Amino acid sequence: MAALTPTAAPAPGQTPPQARDGKTVRVRAGRRPRVWRGAVLALAGVYFLVPLLSSFVFTVHTPGQGVSFAAYTGILSAEGFTQSLLLSLGLAAATIVLALLLAVPALIAVRLGAPRLRPLVEIVCMLPLVVPPIALVTGVTTVLRWGPDHLSRTPLYQTFLAVQNESFPVVLVLAYTVLALPFVYRSLDAGLRAVDVPTLVEAARNCGASMPYVILRVILPNLRSSLAGASFLTLALVLGEYTIASLLGFQPFAVWIVSVSGAQARMSVAVSLLSLLITWALLLLLSRAGTRAASATPAPPAPSGSPTSPASGKE
């Protein structure tokens, strides 16, 4: 019989050697997945970066004139840029507040008191993904036209006029809130699933805390990353939405970009690139903030009867 030769123990992270025909063969498992992973990431990078680089070259290079950054330097002084951007930011802030005020109490109530209603709430929140924006804006337009014709002699007539104020169209806030519900629901539902909400609420209530205090000081701090994710998705939705605002006759940021593209194509592409970069920067900051918040959360103290507690160590 052949003598067995001892082999050294594999280092951490290495594949243990295998014997084949009396010889030691080291299997390099995991190398092929790494190659495929790198290839997929390279293709994704090319897919995303090539159009961006092409757009950037289009904005700075003029055939026969050379390189010029006039498309970027003239953005702040462009007519309507500041007004449209401030309008979109205001609409985004109002939409975020309204969407969170609707979704957070509803999801907490379903989580605590009626878990069986969760599929129904999910279906209702996901309906905007099924209904196209063009159908939604058609219904909104019909209601806005029907109101003044039938309610002109009632106090509601002024309400229909107020929601269509061009300085701050509340009707866009309502429409954007409906469009943002699927994203807000998914983000908050994931956060609530990761937290044992019934146990936290029961512990806080046993300590004498009121229900508003429990929601504001116990549940919401554990949902900071989910709230930030829902807010960011809503902000990106409002800044990029075009169909509803255009058909209703308002001019937020996305509509202004399209209106400028006819006369100043390079400037419109430059504004689109800058808004995309700003959105990516916000996403990176959000992800880093969520990671820091998760890592900074202290571990719960060990109970007094556990082996790791100081009291048990003295025994």
Side-chain angles (χ1 to χ4, degrees):
M1 296 178 62
L4 299 177
T5 57
T7 58
Q14 294 183 357
T15 305
Q18 296 181 357
R20 180 182 300 173
D21 297 334
K23 298 181 179 180
T24 301
V25 180
R26 186 171 297 278
V27 181
R28 294 184 177 180
R31 186 171 184 178
R32 183 174 299 177
R34 290 181 181 178
V35 173
W36 280 107
R37 190 184 304 131
V40 171
L41 291 177
L43 290 176
V46 170
Y47 179 80
F48 285 105
L49 292 179
V50 168
L52 295 178
L53 292 177
S54 302
S55 301
F56 178 74
V57 171
F58 172 75
T59 57
V60 300
H61 182 265
T62 304
Q65 298 181 4
V67 178
S68 175
F69 291 91
Y72 294 92
T73 57
I75 291 177
L76 295 178
S77 60
E79 182 180 0
F81 170 77
T82 305
Q83 292 82 357
S84 62
L85 181 59
L86 292 178
L87 176 59
S88 292
L89 293 177
L91 293 174
T95 304
I96 291 171
V97 172
L98 182 58
L100 293 180
L101 287 178
L102 290 175
V104 172
L107 293 182
I108 293 178
V110 170
R111 180 76 172 176
L112 294 176
R116 295 182 179 180
L117 294 180
R118 181 182 173 277
L120 178 61
V121 175
E122 182 178 4
I123 292 174
V124 172
C125 292
M126 292 299 158
L127 280 179
L129 295 179
V130 181
V131 180
I134 187 67
L136 178 62
V137 72
T138 301
V140 172
T141 304
T142 303
V143 173
L144 292 179
R145 291 178 179 176
W146 173 83
D149 294 338
H150 296 79
L151 302 175
S152 58
R153 298 181 180 181
T154 63
L156 292 177
Y157 177 72
Q158 298 296 330
T159 303
F160 275 88
L161 296 181
V163 298
Q164 302 178 68
N165 189 359
E166 293 185 357
S167 60
F168 191 82
V170 181
V171 64
L172 288 183
V173 176
L174 301 177
Y176 291 162
T177 302
V178 174
L179 293 180
L181 275 181
F183 310 102
V184 175
Y185 172 81
R186 282 303 182 193
S187 180
L188 295 178
D189 183 65
L192 289 172
R193 282 174 173 269
V195 178
D196 192 359
V197 178
T199 302
L200 291 177
V201 173
E202 183 179 358
R205 296 287 289 173
N206 289 336
C207 293
S210 61
M211 198 61 194
Y213 184 90
V214 173
I215 295 176
L216 295 177
R217 301 298 299 273
V218 177
I219 298 179
L220 292 185
N222 288 280
L223 299 178
R224 283 179 295 185
S225 59
S226 299
L227 294 173
S231 302
F232 171 77
L233 292 175
T234 305
L235 174 64
L237 172 69
V238 174
L239 289 180
E241 203 287 322
Y242 171 79
T243 305
I244 296 178
S246 177
L247 294 179
L248 290 180
F250 302 106
Q251 195 179 37
F253 190 59
V255 179
W256 178 84
I257 292 177
V258 176
S259 64
V260 171
S261 62
Q264 301 177 6
R266 286 183 172 81
M267 179 178 293
S268 65
V269 175
V271 173
S272 301
L273 285 176
L274 289 179
S275 62
L276 184 60
L277 293 177
I278 292 173
T279 304
W280 283 0
L282 290 175
L283 179 59
L284 292 176
L285 291 176
L286 176 63
S287 62
R288 291 180 64 87
T291 304
R292 290 178 179 177
S295 61
T297 302
S304 57
S306 61
T308 57
S309 62
S312 60
K314 294 179 181 180
E315 296 179 358

